[in-house]
Amino acid sequence: SSPSAAELMMNTIALRNTNDTVQRAGLISDMDDMVSGLENDGITARWGTLSNCIATNGCTQDDYFDFLMMVAIERQDDVPNAELIANVIMVNRYWGNAEKIIEFSKALSEANDQVEALQLKSVKNKWQEAVYCDGKCPTNHAICFDFIKLLLTV
């Protein structure tokens, strides 16, 4: 069976959320196989970047978000709510960045419309939680990763 882009994204979030060495090793091995199976240069390059920072324990939130964004964009036909996920990552990245106010505003407006269109209470509630945070909560990134996880499964 062909590797699932959505499953790869779920594993990425699981990897970010665990410090268990054995679990991490398993996820990294599985993800490496999935990336190879997807045969996409962009995803492969981003995986190279992500696996390098994983090796040194030097990953930032953006390293994970960049990888998720690349998978969502490159494999949007295989990723549920891919466009919304891409917008959510943009919103999370540019929140409070005055220089990126146009990109931020477009992504936020689009994401808001996409959330409304889904008409799912669970999605709406998680989105409200993110918006209420206004980019300032200590759990801001965690909320975003949870939201992406939810969007991959609804």
Short mmCIF file of all heavy atoms in Angstrom, two decimals, residues 62-111:
data_model
loop_
_atom_site.label_atom_id
_atom_site.label_comp_id
_atom_site.label_asym_id
_atom_site.label_seq_id
_atom_site.Cartn_x
_atom_site.Cartn_y
_atom_site.Cartn_z
N ASP A 62 9.07 25.54 14.38
CA ASP A 62 8.97 25.81 12.95
C ASP A 62 9.52 24.68 12.10
O ASP A 62 9.05 24.46 10.99
CB ASP A 62 9.66 27.13 12.59
CG ASP A 62 8.77 28.33 12.90
OD1 ASP A 62 7.55 28.15 13.07
OD2 ASP A 62 9.31 29.46 12.97
N ASP A 63 10.53 23.97 12.60
CA ASP A 63 11.05 22.82 11.84
C ASP A 63 9.94 21.79 11.63
O ASP A 63 9.79 21.23 10.54
CB ASP A 63 12.23 22.17 12.58
CG ASP A 63 13.48 23.04 12.56
OD1 ASP A 63 13.76 23.66 11.52
OD2 ASP A 63 14.15 23.11 13.61
N TYR A 64 9.16 21.54 12.69
CA TYR A 64 8.04 20.60 12.57
C TYR A 64 6.95 21.18 11.67
O TYR A 64 6.41 20.50 10.80
CB TYR A 64 7.46 20.27 13.95
CG TYR A 64 8.37 19.40 14.78
CD1 TYR A 64 9.16 19.93 15.80
CD2 TYR A 64 8.46 18.03 14.54
CE1 TYR A 64 10.00 19.12 16.56
CE2 TYR A 64 9.29 17.21 15.29
CZ TYR A 64 10.06 17.77 16.29
OH TYR A 64 10.88 16.96 17.03
N PHE A 65 6.63 22.47 11.89
CA PHE A 65 5.59 23.11 11.08
C PHE A 65 5.97 23.14 9.60
O PHE A 65 5.12 22.92 8.74
CB PHE A 65 5.30 24.53 11.57
CG PHE A 65 4.46 24.59 12.81
CD1 PHE A 65 4.88 25.34 13.91
CD2 PHE A 65 3.25 23.91 12.90
CE1 PHE A 65 4.10 25.40 15.06
CE2 PHE A 65 2.46 23.97 14.05
CZ PHE A 65 2.89 24.72 15.14
N ASP A 66 7.26 23.41 9.30
CA ASP A 66 7.71 23.45 7.90
C ASP A 66 7.50 22.10 7.22
O ASP A 66 7.08 22.03 6.08
CB ASP A 66 9.21 23.81 7.82
CG ASP A 66 9.47 25.29 8.09
OD1 ASP A 66 8.51 26.08 8.07
OD2 ASP A 66 10.64 25.63 8.32
N PHE A 67 7.81 21.04 7.96
CA PHE A 67 7.64 19.69 7.40
C PHE A 67 6.16 19.39 7.17
O PHE A 67 5.77 18.91 6.10
CB PHE A 67 8.30 18.65 8.32
CG PHE A 67 8.25 17.26 7.75
CD1 PHE A 67 8.99 16.93 6.62
CD2 PHE A 67 7.48 16.28 8.33
CE1 PHE A 67 8.95 15.64 6.07
CE2 PHE A 67 7.42 14.99 7.80
CZ PHE A 67 8.16 14.68 6.67
N LEU A 68 5.33 19.70 8.17
CA LEU A 68 3.89 19.46 8.04
C LEU A 68 3.31 20.26 6.87
O LEU A 68 2.50 19.75 6.09
CB LEU A 68 3.17 19.86 9.34
CG LEU A 68 3.44 18.95 10.55
CD1 LEU A 68 2.90 19.60 11.81
CD2 LEU A 68 2.81 17.57 10.35
N MET A 69 3.76 21.50 6.74
CA MET A 69 3.29 22.38 5.66
C MET A 69 3.68 21.79 4.30
O MET A 69 2.85 21.74 3.38
CB MET A 69 3.92 23.76 5.84
CG MET A 69 3.57 24.73 4.75
SD MET A 69 1.98 25.51 5.02
CE MET A 69 2.51 27.15 5.33
N MET A 70 4.90 21.33 4.18
CA MET A 70 5.38 20.76 2.92
C MET A 70 4.54 19.54 2.53
O MET A 70 4.10 19.41 1.39
CB MET A 70 6.86 20.37 3.04
CG MET A 70 7.44 19.76 1.78
SD MET A 70 7.48 20.87 0.36
CE MET A 70 8.90 21.88 0.75
N VAL A 71 4.28 18.66 3.50
CA VAL A 71 3.48 17.45 3.21
C VAL A 71 2.06 17.84 2.82
O VAL A 71 1.51 17.33 1.84
CB VAL A 71 3.47 16.48 4.41
CG1 VAL A 71 2.58 15.28 4.12
CG2 VAL A 71 4.89 16.01 4.74
N ALA A 72 1.47 18.79 3.56
CA ALA A 72 0.09 19.21 3.27
C ALA A 72 -0.02 19.82 1.87
O ALA A 72 -0.98 19.54 1.14
CB ALA A 72 -0.39 20.21 4.32
N ILE A 73 0.96 20.62 1.49
CA ILE A 73 0.91 21.29 0.19
C ILE A 73 1.22 20.31 -0.96
O ILE A 73 0.52 20.26 -1.96
CB ILE A 73 1.87 22.50 0.16
CG1 ILE A 73 1.31 23.61 1.06
CG2 ILE A 73 2.06 23.01 -1.26
CD1 ILE A 73 2.28 24.73 1.32
N GLU A 74 2.28 19.53 -0.78
CA GLU A 74 2.72 18.62 -1.84
C GLU A 74 1.77 17.45 -2.06
O GLU A 74 1.68 16.91 -3.15
CB GLU A 74 4.13 18.09 -1.54
CG GLU A 74 5.21 19.14 -1.64
CD GLU A 74 5.45 19.63 -3.07
OE1 GLU A 74 5.39 18.80 -4.00
OE2 GLU A 74 5.70 20.83 -3.25
N ARG A 75 1.11 17.03 -1.00
CA ARG A 75 0.20 15.87 -1.11
C ARG A 75 -1.22 16.23 -0.71
O ARG A 75 -1.90 15.48 -0.02
CB ARG A 75 0.72 14.72 -0.23
CG ARG A 75 2.10 14.20 -0.62
CD ARG A 75 2.22 13.80 -2.10
NE ARG A 75 1.38 12.67 -2.44
CZ ARG A 75 1.81 11.42 -2.54
NH1 ARG A 75 3.09 11.14 -2.35
NH2 ARG A 75 1.00 10.45 -2.85
N GLN A 76 -1.67 17.40 -1.15
CA GLN A 76 -2.96 17.88 -0.66
C GLN A 76 -4.14 16.96 -0.99
O GLN A 76 -5.13 16.94 -0.26
CB GLN A 76 -3.24 19.32 -1.04
CG GLN A 76 -3.17 19.67 -2.48
CD GLN A 76 -3.30 21.18 -2.70
OE1 GLN A 76 -3.58 21.91 -1.76
NE2 GLN A 76 -3.10 21.61 -3.91
N ASP A 77 -4.01 16.17 -2.06
CA ASP A 77 -5.09 15.23 -2.40
C ASP A 77 -5.20 14.10 -1.38
O ASP A 77 -6.26 13.49 -1.23
CB ASP A 77 -4.88 14.64 -3.79
CG ASP A 77 -4.97 15.71 -4.88
OD1 ASP A 77 -5.47 16.82 -4.57
OD2 ASP A 77 -4.54 15.44 -6.01
N ASP A 78 -4.09 13.82 -0.68
CA ASP A 78 -4.07 12.72 0.30
C ASP A 78 -4.25 13.22 1.74
O ASP A 78 -4.29 12.41 2.66
CB ASP A 78 -2.72 11.98 0.27
CG ASP A 78 -2.34 11.55 -1.13
OD1 ASP A 78 -3.25 11.36 -1.96
OD2 ASP A 78 -1.13 11.43 -1.40
N VAL A 79 -4.31 14.52 1.91
CA VAL A 79 -4.36 15.08 3.27
C VAL A 79 -5.71 15.74 3.50
O VAL A 79 -6.05 16.71 2.81
CB VAL A 79 -3.22 16.11 3.48
CG1 VAL A 79 -3.33 16.77 4.84
CG2 VAL A 79 -1.85 15.45 3.32
N PRO A 80 -6.48 15.22 4.47
CA PRO A 80 -7.77 15.86 4.77
C PRO A 80 -7.54 17.31 5.21
O PRO A 80 -6.61 17.59 5.97
CB PRO A 80 -8.32 15.04 5.94
CG PRO A 80 -7.53 13.79 5.97
CD PRO A 80 -6.21 14.07 5.33
N ASN A 81 -8.36 18.22 4.73
CA ASN A 81 -8.30 19.63 5.13
C ASN A 81 -6.93 20.27 4.92
O ASN A 81 -6.50 21.12 5.71
CB ASN A 81 -8.73 19.78 6.60
CG ASN A 81 -10.12 19.25 6.85
OD1 ASN A 81 -11.09 19.72 6.25
ND2 ASN A 81 -10.25 18.26 7.71
N ALA A 82 -6.25 19.86 3.85
CA ALA A 82 -4.88 20.32 3.60
C ALA A 82 -4.75 21.84 3.54
O ALA A 82 -3.84 22.42 4.11
CB ALA A 82 -4.35 19.69 2.32
N GLU A 83 -5.68 22.49 2.84
CA GLU A 83 -5.61 23.95 2.69
C GLU A 83 -5.80 24.63 4.03
O GLU A 83 -5.10 25.61 4.34
CB GLU A 83 -6.65 24.45 1.70
CG GLU A 83 -6.27 24.17 0.25
CD GLU A 83 -7.32 24.69 -0.72
OE1 GLU A 83 -8.03 25.65 -0.38
OE2 GLU A 83 -7.41 24.12 -1.83
N LEU A 84 -6.72 24.13 4.82
CA LEU A 84 -6.95 24.70 6.15
C LEU A 84 -5.71 24.49 7.03
O LEU A 84 -5.28 25.41 7.74
CB LEU A 84 -8.20 24.08 6.80
CG LEU A 84 -8.52 24.49 8.24
CD1 LEU A 84 -8.54 26.01 8.43
CD2 LEU A 84 -9.85 23.89 8.68
N ILE A 85 -5.12 23.32 6.97
CA ILE A 85 -3.91 23.04 7.75
C ILE A 85 -2.79 24.02 7.36
O ILE A 85 -2.13 24.60 8.22
CB ILE A 85 -3.45 21.58 7.57
CG1 ILE A 85 -4.43 20.65 8.31
CG2 ILE A 85 -2.02 21.38 8.09
CD1 ILE A 85 -4.24 19.17 8.03
N ALA A 86 -2.61 24.24 6.05
CA ALA A 86 -1.59 25.19 5.59
C ALA A 86 -1.87 26.59 6.13
O ALA A 86 -0.95 27.28 6.60
CB ALA A 86 -1.53 25.19 4.07
N ASN A 87 -3.12 27.00 6.11
CA ASN A 87 -3.48 28.33 6.63
C ASN A 87 -3.25 28.42 8.14
O ASN A 87 -2.76 29.44 8.64
CB ASN A 87 -4.94 28.66 6.31
CG ASN A 87 -5.11 29.17 4.89
OD1 ASN A 87 -4.24 29.87 4.37
ND2 ASN A 87 -6.21 28.83 4.26
N VAL A 88 -3.59 27.36 8.86
CA VAL A 88 -3.39 27.34 10.32
C VAL A 88 -1.91 27.49 10.66
O VAL A 88 -1.54 28.23 11.58
CB VAL A 88 -3.98 26.04 10.93
CG1 VAL A 88 -3.51 25.83 12.35
CG2 VAL A 88 -5.49 26.06 10.86
N ILE A 89 -1.05 26.82 9.90
CA ILE A 89 0.39 26.91 10.13
C ILE A 89 0.88 28.34 9.84
O ILE A 89 1.67 28.90 10.61
CB ILE A 89 1.16 25.87 9.29
CG1 ILE A 89 0.84 24.46 9.81
CG2 ILE A 89 2.67 26.14 9.35
CD1 ILE A 89 1.36 23.33 8.95
N MET A 90 0.38 28.94 8.76
CA MET A 90 0.74 30.33 8.44
C MET A 90 0.30 31.28 9.54
O MET A 90 1.06 32.16 9.96
CB MET A 90 0.06 30.76 7.13
CG MET A 90 0.56 30.06 5.91
SD MET A 90 1.94 30.90 5.16
CE MET A 90 1.14 32.28 4.41
N VAL A 91 -0.93 31.12 10.00
CA VAL A 91 -1.46 31.96 11.07
C VAL A 91 -0.58 31.83 12.31
O VAL A 91 -0.17 32.82 12.91
CB VAL A 91 -2.93 31.59 11.40
CG1 VAL A 91 -3.39 32.20 12.71
CG2 VAL A 91 -3.85 32.01 10.26
N ASN A 92 -0.28 30.60 12.69
CA ASN A 92 0.54 30.35 13.88
C ASN A 92 1.92 31.00 13.73
O ASN A 92 2.44 31.59 14.67
CB ASN A 92 0.67 28.85 14.10
CG ASN A 92 1.39 28.53 15.40
OD1 ASN A 92 0.88 28.81 16.48
ND2 ASN A 92 2.57 27.97 15.29
N ARG A 93 2.48 30.90 12.54
CA ARG A 93 3.82 31.44 12.30
C ARG A 93 3.85 32.96 12.35
O ARG A 93 4.79 33.55 12.87
CB ARG A 93 4.32 30.97 10.94
CG ARG A 93 5.57 31.71 10.52
CD ARG A 93 6.42 30.95 9.58
NE ARG A 93 6.71 29.63 10.09
CZ ARG A 93 7.07 28.60 9.35
NH1 ARG A 93 7.18 28.73 8.06
NH2 ARG A 93 7.32 27.44 9.90
N TYR A 94 2.85 33.62 11.76
CA TYR A 94 2.90 35.07 11.58
C TYR A 94 2.14 35.86 12.65
O TYR A 94 2.06 37.07 12.56
CB TYR A 94 2.39 35.44 10.18
CG TYR A 94 3.28 34.94 9.07
CD1 TYR A 94 2.74 34.47 7.88
CD2 TYR A 94 4.67 34.92 9.20
CE1 TYR A 94 3.54 34.01 6.86
CE2 TYR A 94 5.49 34.46 8.19
CZ TYR A 94 4.92 34.01 7.02
OH TYR A 94 5.71 33.55 6.00
N TRP A 95 1.60 35.16 13.63
CA TRP A 95 0.85 35.84 14.68
C TRP A 95 1.75 36.88 15.36
O TRP A 95 2.82 36.55 15.85
CB TRP A 95 0.35 34.85 15.73
CG TRP A 95 -1.02 35.22 16.21
CD1 TRP A 95 -1.38 36.39 16.81
CD2 TRP A 95 -2.21 34.45 16.12
NE1 TRP A 95 -2.71 36.39 17.09
CE2 TRP A 95 -3.25 35.21 16.69
CE3 TRP A 95 -2.50 33.18 15.62
CZ2 TRP A 95 -4.57 34.75 16.77
CZ3 TRP A 95 -3.80 32.72 15.70
CH2 TRP A 95 -4.82 33.50 16.27
N GLY A 96 1.33 38.13 15.34
CA GLY A 96 2.09 39.17 16.02
C GLY A 96 3.29 39.68 15.23
O GLY A 96 4.07 40.48 15.73
N ASN A 97 3.46 39.23 13.98
CA ASN A 97 4.57 39.68 13.15
C ASN A 97 4.08 40.82 12.25
O ASN A 97 3.42 40.59 11.24
CB ASN A 97 5.10 38.51 12.31
CG ASN A 97 6.28 38.90 11.43
OD1 ASN A 97 6.49 40.06 11.12
ND2 ASN A 97 7.02 37.89 11.01
N ALA A 98 4.42 42.05 12.63
CA ALA A 98 3.92 43.24 11.92
C ALA A 98 4.32 43.23 10.44
O ALA A 98 3.55 43.69 9.58
CB ALA A 98 4.43 44.51 12.60
N GLU A 99 5.50 42.70 10.14
CA GLU A 99 5.97 42.70 8.75
C GLU A 99 5.16 41.74 7.87
O GLU A 99 5.16 41.86 6.65
CB GLU A 99 7.44 42.28 8.68
CG GLU A 99 8.39 43.35 9.20
CD GLU A 99 9.81 42.84 9.34
OE1 GLU A 99 10.18 41.87 8.64
OE2 GLU A 99 10.55 43.41 10.15
N LYS A 100 4.49 40.79 8.49
CA LYS A 100 3.74 39.78 7.73
C LYS A 100 2.23 39.96 7.90
O LYS A 100 1.46 39.00 7.78
CB LYS A 100 4.15 38.37 8.19
CG LYS A 100 5.61 38.05 7.93
CD LYS A 100 5.89 37.85 6.47
CE LYS A 100 7.32 37.36 6.24
NZ LYS A 100 7.61 37.19 4.83
N ILE A 101 1.80 41.18 8.19
CA ILE A 101 0.38 41.42 8.50
C ILE A 101 -0.54 41.04 7.33
O ILE A 101 -1.63 40.51 7.55
CB ILE A 101 0.13 42.89 8.94
CG1 ILE A 101 -1.29 43.08 9.45
CG2 ILE A 101 0.46 43.89 7.84
CD1 ILE A 101 -1.62 42.33 10.72
N ILE A 102 -0.10 41.24 6.10
CA ILE A 102 -0.95 40.90 4.94
C ILE A 102 -1.12 39.38 4.84
O ILE A 102 -2.24 38.87 4.78
CB ILE A 102 -0.34 41.42 3.61
CG1 ILE A 102 -0.05 42.92 3.70
CG2 ILE A 102 -1.24 41.07 2.43
CD1 ILE A 102 -1.22 43.84 3.68
N GLU A 103 0.02 38.64 4.87
CA GLU A 103 -0.03 37.17 4.80
C GLU A 103 -0.84 36.61 5.96
O GLU A 103 -1.66 35.70 5.78
CB GLU A 103 1.38 36.57 4.85
CG GLU A 103 2.23 36.89 3.65
CD GLU A 103 3.08 38.15 3.79
OE1 GLU A 103 2.66 39.10 4.51
OE2 GLU A 103 4.15 38.19 3.19
N PHE A 104 -0.58 37.17 7.16
CA PHE A 104 -1.30 36.72 8.35
C PHE A 104 -2.80 36.93 8.19
O PHE A 104 -3.59 36.02 8.43
CB PHE A 104 -0.79 37.48 9.59
CG PHE A 104 -1.65 37.28 10.81
CD1 PHE A 104 -1.51 36.12 11.56
CD2 PHE A 104 -2.58 38.22 11.19
CE1 PHE A 104 -2.31 35.91 12.69
CE2 PHE A 104 -3.38 38.02 12.31
CZ PHE A 104 -3.24 36.87 13.05
N SER A 105 -3.18 38.11 7.78
CA SER A 105 -4.61 38.45 7.67
C SER A 105 -5.32 37.57 6.64
O SER A 105 -6.43 37.10 6.87
CB SER A 105 -4.78 39.92 7.29
OG SER A 105 -4.22 40.73 8.30
N LYS A 106 -4.65 37.35 5.49
CA LYS A 106 -5.24 36.48 4.46
C LYS A 106 -5.42 35.06 4.98
O LYS A 106 -6.47 34.45 4.80
CB LYS A 106 -4.35 36.47 3.21
CG LYS A 106 -4.48 37.71 2.36
CD LYS A 106 -3.65 37.60 1.10
CE LYS A 106 -3.84 38.85 0.24
NZ LYS A 106 -2.89 38.91 -0.87
N ALA A 107 -4.37 34.53 5.61
CA ALA A 107 -4.44 33.16 6.13
C ALA A 107 -5.50 33.03 7.21
O ALA A 107 -6.26 32.06 7.24
CB ALA A 107 -3.07 32.72 6.66
N LEU A 108 -5.58 34.03 8.09
CA LEU A 108 -6.56 33.99 9.18
C LEU A 108 -7.98 34.05 8.63
O LEU A 108 -8.84 33.28 9.05
CB LEU A 108 -6.31 35.15 10.16
CG LEU A 108 -7.21 35.16 11.40
CD1 LEU A 108 -6.85 34.00 12.33
CD2 LEU A 108 -7.11 36.47 12.16
N SER A 109 -8.23 34.95 7.68
CA SER A 109 -9.56 35.08 7.08
C SER A 109 -9.97 33.79 6.37
O SER A 109 -11.10 33.31 6.55
CB SER A 109 -9.60 36.23 6.08
OG SER A 109 -9.35 37.43 6.74
N GLU A 110 -9.04 33.26 5.58
CA GLU A 110 -9.32 32.01 4.86
C GLU A 110 -9.58 30.87 5.82
O GLU A 110 -10.53 30.10 5.64
CB GLU A 110 -8.13 31.65 3.97
CG GLU A 110 -8.38 31.89 2.51
CD GLU A 110 -7.19 31.50 1.65
OE1 GLU A 110 -6.75 30.32 1.70
OE2 GLU A 110 -6.69 32.37 0.92
N ALA A 111 -8.72 30.75 6.82
CA ALA A 111 -8.88 29.67 7.80
C ALA A 111 -10.23 29.78 8.50
O ALA A 111 -10.93 28.78 8.68
CB ALA A 111 -7.74 29.70 8.83
#
